Amino acid sequence: MKNYLLLLWVMVPAIIWAQAPDRTMYYSQAANHFEEALVLGNGRIGATVHGGVQSDKIFLNEATLWAGSPVDPYMNAEAYKHLPAVREALRQENYRLADSLNRRHLQGKYSESYAPLGTMYIEMGHGAETSNYRRQLDLSTAISSTTYQQAGVTYTREYFISYPQQVMLIKLSASQTGKLSFKLRFNSLLPNQVKTEANVFSASGKAPSHAEPNYRRSDNPLQYDPQKSMRFLTLAKIIAADGKVVRTDSTIGIQGGREAVIMVSIATSFNGFDQNPATNGKNEVALANDWLKKAEKISYANLRAAHIKDHQSFFNRVALQLAGRSSNASLPTDERLKRFAEGAKDPDLEILYFNFGRYLLIASSRTPNVPANLQGIWNHQIRPPWSSNYTININTEMNYWPAESCNLSELHQPLLGFLGNLAKTGAVTAKTFYNAGGWCAAHNTDIWAMSNPVGHFGEGSPSWANWNMGGAWLATHLWEHFDYSRDTIWLKNYGYGLLKGASQFCLDILVDDGKGNLVTSPSTSPENIFITTTGYKGATLYGATADLGMIRELFAQTIAAAKTLNLDADYQQKLSTALGKLYPYQISKKGHLQEWYHDWADEDPKHRHQSHLFGLYPGHHISVDQTPELAAACKQTLEVKGDETTGWSKGWRTNLWARLRDGNRTYKMYRELMRYVSPTPDTRYNGGGGAYPNLMDAHPPFQIDGNFGGTAAVLEMLVQSRSNEITLLPALPDAWANGSVRGVCARGGFVLNLTWVNGKLSKTEISSPRGGQTKVVYNGKSQDVRLAAKGSKVLVW
């Protein structure tokens, strides 16, 4: 406690006013909407800070606070008995009947929802009029701050969330003694009870035992069962250097002080995906109190220093620099966005957006086996859009596209660990829905590792509810992690078994199309609708291109993994044989890559999903150099779809254009990811993508995947790699003629530093923690590189 008397006021102004335009977000007014507020996180605790003057509103989240309890994977135990009827309808080309049977018999429950923990308010004891207001977030330190002047007094608040100590810290200061007065109160959309004692308040509550998705009408959307509901506890303690501590039954505060620190500790009873959080949950009271007691023994200065050191151990691994400065760089971030959308040049804003994606992954993905969800870890709604769940027909995977290339491999682990949970429930789903071995997952999942097709047993359209390739797509992340890390022990002990299981499911559901080709049946293409030659609009077919693209990638990766480990020669041959029999890609009469088995029209040619282009990105088996005709067909598909689409879809298309080696088109799309979107209360779901004032991706509404897609795309412009080849500056746009990047990772286990001048590579340094060999390609030339462990080499072109 005595350490807090040594809080240093003089440290704050330098922090508040320092601004690096490529890593600092700042605003000249408080946030009125979530989409204007600044987010903090340590991978478990999330906070959304509004920076209000009289009342500062802070939304609080905890990564494991979800509705629901362990899923019953046997919810539709005899669904598989209807599979032959669906396949027969497809064999007869009766797509209407296939749709009906697929919908009626091969669906299960919806996922549960990510819950908002509550809102903490800091009610300041002064008026609303201010001058010199500023709030900011320094991405390089993960510290946010708010400062303003009133009646000759400077007020400052500094916020961060410590990963080492697992608590949130808020330091409040006034420049004059006796001028700091405030009180804390708490509110939640969840049932809760607030208590105060001395200088601590506690808020205990529970999440729903079941929450209906926001898109499903229900007379009872939120259900609470004390035998199933997850519990939570929030503790807030005020540690004051001076002033008088005051409290009521529901508030605590300080009167007449100069400095104070608020320490917030949060815990839930979540104890694993297969444990009832009510009857077999963790002791959230003991956890929250333990974190609080340990943290308060450490001085604020030391907590802050440890936090910065921890954050920068990730953030400082990669650095991007682009030549040129803009006069707009000194403007507030929202104003920079507006001018950028009007065509202004602002290279530092382009770097800022890239850095923001890295920041978000560090802040939202550090909880074992609990990946970042649709909104990362930031949600303030009791029934959030799409349940703020894991939508695994693109969005969850997209969250992790920058993990390996951005040198954040450890932050991939929450997703990779979650796959072990999903494989357990997914094995039951594979058997009960498809009479198949291995494991699978469908359109959605949640913290309980739900794996069944959704739709509430017949309500959902098969176009999205019945898609079953989620496990196949997610499993490719296992190989990606190995391909970057070259950790054969991890591959042997964990990754390979999951790859093999996902491949086994795909192997078991493949059928002959009557022409000697293997296809999936039934099949859908995520969220899209075909039009047959007779005019029927449907979703269920056989042999959707997206299915087969994902299976191609998965089978090739599983074979490569088995060869790496010198395992399962017979299984390798089985997969190789099936791979050779998959129905080939087809190019339509209009020149684009067919999405359907037949050359059918799309109900919406500009549809936001482009899942049939999986083989180009994030897959690798379609490329401009190895399969030029297919790459050209992919390009034609993108031309038909156009550039105008939702936020996450634009992020995906940006990466696809990078893989097509069109740097200027990629750059155009990247700029459009930063198109200013106003945070209006009536958010349009189909209003076009862009960035909100706080740089969060606008689907709209907010989804975090577009941010991660944009960050991944930056590095796809600069470095592309396969297991044995690295291509440098493959899609460098004209606008980035001069620049450098440091710390970018490539497949094969390599790390690169690049510098380029006037659009030409001037220096390349390549290193490898484990050693290895690869071919480095630039501008039609190549060099073979072999490195010893921890070796490095400078390449001159």
Side-chain angles (χ1 to χ4, degrees):
M1 183 74 70
K2 293 180 180 179
N3 288 325
Y4 282 97
L5 299 177
L6 303 178
L7 298 177
L8 297 179
W9 161 259
V10 294
M11 295 174 59
V12 176
I15 299 155
I16 297 302
W17 295 107
Q19 179 185 354
D22 61 351
R23 61 178 186 270
T24 305
M25 299 161 59
Y26 99 90
Y27 305 83
S28 58
Q29 69 283 325
N32 291 317
H33 304 283
F34 172 89
E35 296 84 1
E36 297 171 313
L38 297 171
V39 297
L40 300 168
N42 67 353
R44 183 180 68 83
I45 300 172
T48 307
V49 181
H50 289 68
V53 174
Q54 284 186 296
S55 179
D56 192 358
K57 180 169 58 178
I58 303 171
F59 296 144
L60 295 174
N61 289 104
E62 210 276 0
T64 65
L65 186 63
W66 285 67
S69 57
V71 65
D72 175 11
Y74 292 94
M75 68 187 71
N76 195 349
E78 297 186 344
Y80 70 94
K81 293 182 179 180
H82 301 277
L83 188 62
V86 181
R87 286 176 169 166
E88 179 59 22
L90 290 172
R91 194 181 70 81
Q92 298 290 339
E93 310 292 333
N94 190 340
Y95 299 102
R96 186 184 301 275
L97 177 59
D99 266 339
S100 176
L101 293 172
N102 202 16
R103 180 173 190 157
R104 192 186 320 158
H105 299 297
L106 295 179
Q107 292 185 6
K109 71 181 288 289
Y110 287 117
S111 76
E112 296 295 347
S113 296
Y114 180 54
L117 188 143
T119 306
M120 187 170 70
Y121 296 87
I122 305 176
E123 308 283 8
M124 300 299 293
H126 56 52
E129 294 297 323
T130 67
S131 59
N132 297 324
Y133 179 94
R134 180 186 178 103
R135 64 185 173 95
Q136 75 170 39
L137 171 61
D138 183 342
L139 302 181
S140 68
T141 62
I143 293 176
S144 180
S145 53
T146 300
T147 187
Y148 53 86
Q149 293 175 342
Q150 188 178 93
V153 180
T154 300
Y155 292 93
T156 303
R157 296 192 290 272
E158 182 178 80
Y159 325 72
F160 66 89
I161 305 178
S162 166
Y163 179 83
Q165 295 301 321
Q166 291 296 308
V167 293
M168 180 177 184
L169 284 301
I170 306 169
K171 177 184 175 183
L172 300 93
S173 305
S175 61
Q176 296 180 21
T177 301
K179 294 297 184 179
L180 180 65
S181 295
F182 67 90
K183 65 179 180 180
L184 298 181
R185 64 182 178 89
F186 179 87
N187 186 38
S188 179
L189 298 173
L190 303 175
N192 69 99
Q193 183 178 17
V194 175
K195 297 180 180 179
T196 63
E197 181 178 355
N199 58 341
V200 179
F201 82 61
S202 64
S204 58
K206 59 184 178 182
S209 56
H210 173 68
E212 290 287 354
N214 71 313
Y215 48 81
R216 185 169 188 262
R217 292 184 179 181
S218 172
D219 294 332
N220 188 22
L222 302 173
Q223 300 166 25
Y224 293 89
D225 182 343
Q227 295 302 306
K228 293 182 178 179
S229 291
M230 190 185 302
R231 303 181 302 273
F232 71 85
L233 177 66
T234 300
L235 299 174
K237 185 170 186 176
I238 297 177
I239 302 170
D242 52 12
K244 178 183 178 183
V245 176
V246 294
R247 73 178 180 92
T248 68
D249 289 343
S250 59
T251 67
I252 57 172
I254 292 292
Q255 284 185 349
R258 179 169 178 172
E259 296 179 354
V261 171
I262 303 168
M263 190 174 290
V264 182
S265 181
I266 299 171
T268 78
S269 62
F270 179 72
N271 195 24
F273 81 104
D274 55 355
Q275 301 297 313
N276 186 316
T279 60
N280 196 33
K282 289 185 177 179
N283 186 334
E284 73 281 6
V285 176
L287 283 172
N289 276 284
D290 187 54
W291 282 320
L292 187 64
K293 290 177 181 177
K294 289 180 178 178
E296 66 179 314
K297 295 178 181 178
I298 306 171
S299 72
Y300 180 84
N302 286 341
L303 287 167
R304 188 180 187 280
H307 158 74
I308 293 174
K309 181 180 179 180
D310 170 75
H311 174 74
Q312 291 185 342
S313 70
F314 295 101
F315 189 84
N316 288 352
R317 293 178 186 178
V318 170
L320 173 67
Q321 292 185 330
L322 299 172
R325 287 292 177 267
S326 167
S327 59
N328 295 333
S330 61
L331 296 175
T333 303
D334 51 346
E335 186 61 33
R336 291 174 74 184
L337 276 176
K338 292 175 183 177
R339 297 193 183 192
F340 192 75
E342 295 170 352
K345 294 182 179 180
D346 193 342
D348 284 321
L349 182 64
E350 295 166 5
I351 302 172
L352 180 68
Y353 191 82
F354 167 75
N355 285 335
F356 187 55
R358 298 192 300 120
Y359 167 85
L360 290 175
L361 194 62
I362 299 168
S364 65
S365 186
R366 297 184 72 179
T367 300
N369 304 339
V370 182
N373 61 52
L374 276 176
Q375 297 180 191
I377 56 172
W378 299 280
N379 165 43
H380 63 292
Q381 300 177 67
I382 192 67
R383 296 180 72 192
W386 303 288
S387 301
S388 191
N389 64 14
Y390 303 120
T391 303
I392 56 176
N393 69 359
I394 168 62
N395 312 98
T396 301
E397 292 90 344
M398 195 171 185
N399 285 358
Y400 288 89
W401 284 352
E404 299 292 344
S405 59
C406 280
N407 215 331
L408 298 173
S409 185
E410 302 97 317
L411 307 185
H412 207 170
Q413 290 299 327
L415 176 65
L416 302 177
F418 176 72
L419 298 191
N421 300 343
L422 198 58
K424 293 181 174 67
T425 58
V428 178
T429 294
K431 193 67 178 176
T432 58
F433 278 83
Y434 304 103
N435 197 29
W439 66 277
C440 69
H443 175 69
N444 292 135
T445 185
D446 53 27
I447 200 171
W448 312 110
M450 186 199 80
S451 54
N452 56 274
V454 294
H456 198 73
F457 305 95
E459 288 185 2
S461 167
S463 66
W464 49 271
N466 288 87
W467 184 76
N468 57 14
M469 285 285 112
W473 190 338
L474 284 168
T476 64
H477 281 252
L478 297 159
W479 176 256
E480 284 289 277
H481 174 66
F482 168 75
D483 214 5
Y484 277 94
S485 69
R486 293 299 163 127
D487 186 346
T488 54
I489 296 175
W490 176 89
L491 183 65
K492 180 178 181 180
N493 294 340
Y494 184 78
Y496 176 65
L498 293 174
L499 280 164
K500 186 176 179 181
S503 290
Q504 187 61 49
F505 169 76
C506 295
L507 201 60
D508 288 352
I509 64 169
L510 290 170
V511 300
D512 193 288
D513 67 349
K515 302 176 183 178
N517 302 302
L518 292 179
V519 295
T520 49
S521 179
S523 179
T524 61
S525 193
E527 304 188 38
N528 210 349
I529 298 291
F530 57 74
I531 305 176
T532 68
T533 53
T534 63
Y536 175 71
K537 297 180 180 181
T540 306
L541 74 156
Y542 51 84
T545 302
D547 283 7
L548 300 178
M550 292 169 196
I551 291 173
R552 281 186 173 90
E553 196 76 15
L554 176 63
F555 280 6
Q557 291 177 348
T558 305
I559 292 168
K563 287 182 177 179
T564 298
L565 299 173
N566 195 25
L567 295 173
D568 294 333
D570 291 344
Y571 192 66
Q572 290 181 46
Q573 185 58 50
K574 186 180 294 186
L575 290 179
S576 182
T577 300
L579 192 55
K581 291 184 177 181
L582 291 178
Y583 181 60
Y585 282 107
Q586 302 293 314
I587 298 175
S588 77
K589 58 181 177 290
K590 294 182 179 180
H592 61 258
L593 195 71
Q594 275 183 205
E595 185 163 0
W596 318 105
Y597 182 94
H598 300 287
D599 192 0
W600 289 334
D602 297 322
E603 181 185 47
D604 177 10
K606 296 182 180 295
H607 195 267
R608 62 193 176 279
H609 281 262
Q610 44 264 331
S611 309
H612 59 306
L613 306 188
F614 177 92
L616 176 63
Y617 187 93
H620 302 275
H621 60 268
I622 297 177
S623 64
V624 293
D625 53 347
Q626 296 186 350
T627 59
E629 290 185 1
L630 292 179
C634 291
K635 180 178 180 179
Q636 181 60 23
T637 298
L638 290 175
E639 294 287 10
V640 170
K641 284 184 174 291
D643 294 347
E644 189 53 57
T645 185
T646 61
W648 65 260
S649 180
K650 192 178 291 286
W652 191 355
R653 291 181 194 180
T654 306
N655 282 277
L656 287 163
W657 280 111
R659 282 284 173 90
L660 290 171
R661 309 283 173 90
D662 190 332
N664 289 336
R665 187 68 168 268
T666 307
Y667 176 71
K668 172 185 179 292
M669 297 289 283
Y670 183 65
R671 282 189 65 106
E672 290 174 4
L673 278 171
M674 288 174 272
R675 180 176 57 193
Y676 180 84
V677 177
S678 177
T680 59
D682 299 323
T683 302
R684 296 172 297 154
Y685 280 63
N686 294 305
Y692 289 118
N694 62 2
L695 294 187
M696 287 293 205
D697 172 63
H699 172 57
F702 160 54
Q703 280 188 197
I704 203 168
D705 36 34
N707 290 106
F708 293 130
T711 294
V714 169
L715 295 190
E716 281 295 316
M717 288 188 261
L718 304 179
V719 175
Q720 293 178 19
S721 61
R722 302 187 183 102
S723 296
N724 58 358
E725 182 179 288
I726 302 170
T727 302
L728 306 180
L729 304 185
L732 184 71
D734 293 341
W736 292 356
N738 299 284
S740 67
V741 67
R742 173 179 56 79
V744 58
C745 290
R747 294 170 182 86
F750 297 95
V751 182
L752 294 102
N753 302 331
L754 307 179
T755 302
W756 60 95
V757 178
N758 296 325
K760 303 292 184 182
L761 192 64
S762 63
K763 182 179 180 182
T764 305
E765 182 180 3
I766 182 170
S767 60
S768 174
R770 293 176 179 267
Q773 63 183 62
T774 191
K775 181 171 70 172
V776 181
V777 179
Y778 171 65
N779 199 25
K781 300 178 182 179
S782 66
Q783 296 187 39
D784 291 323
V785 175
R786 182 188 295 271
L787 296 175
K790 298 183 180 180
S792 65
K793 185 176 182 179
V794 175
L795 305 180
V796 180
W797 301 93

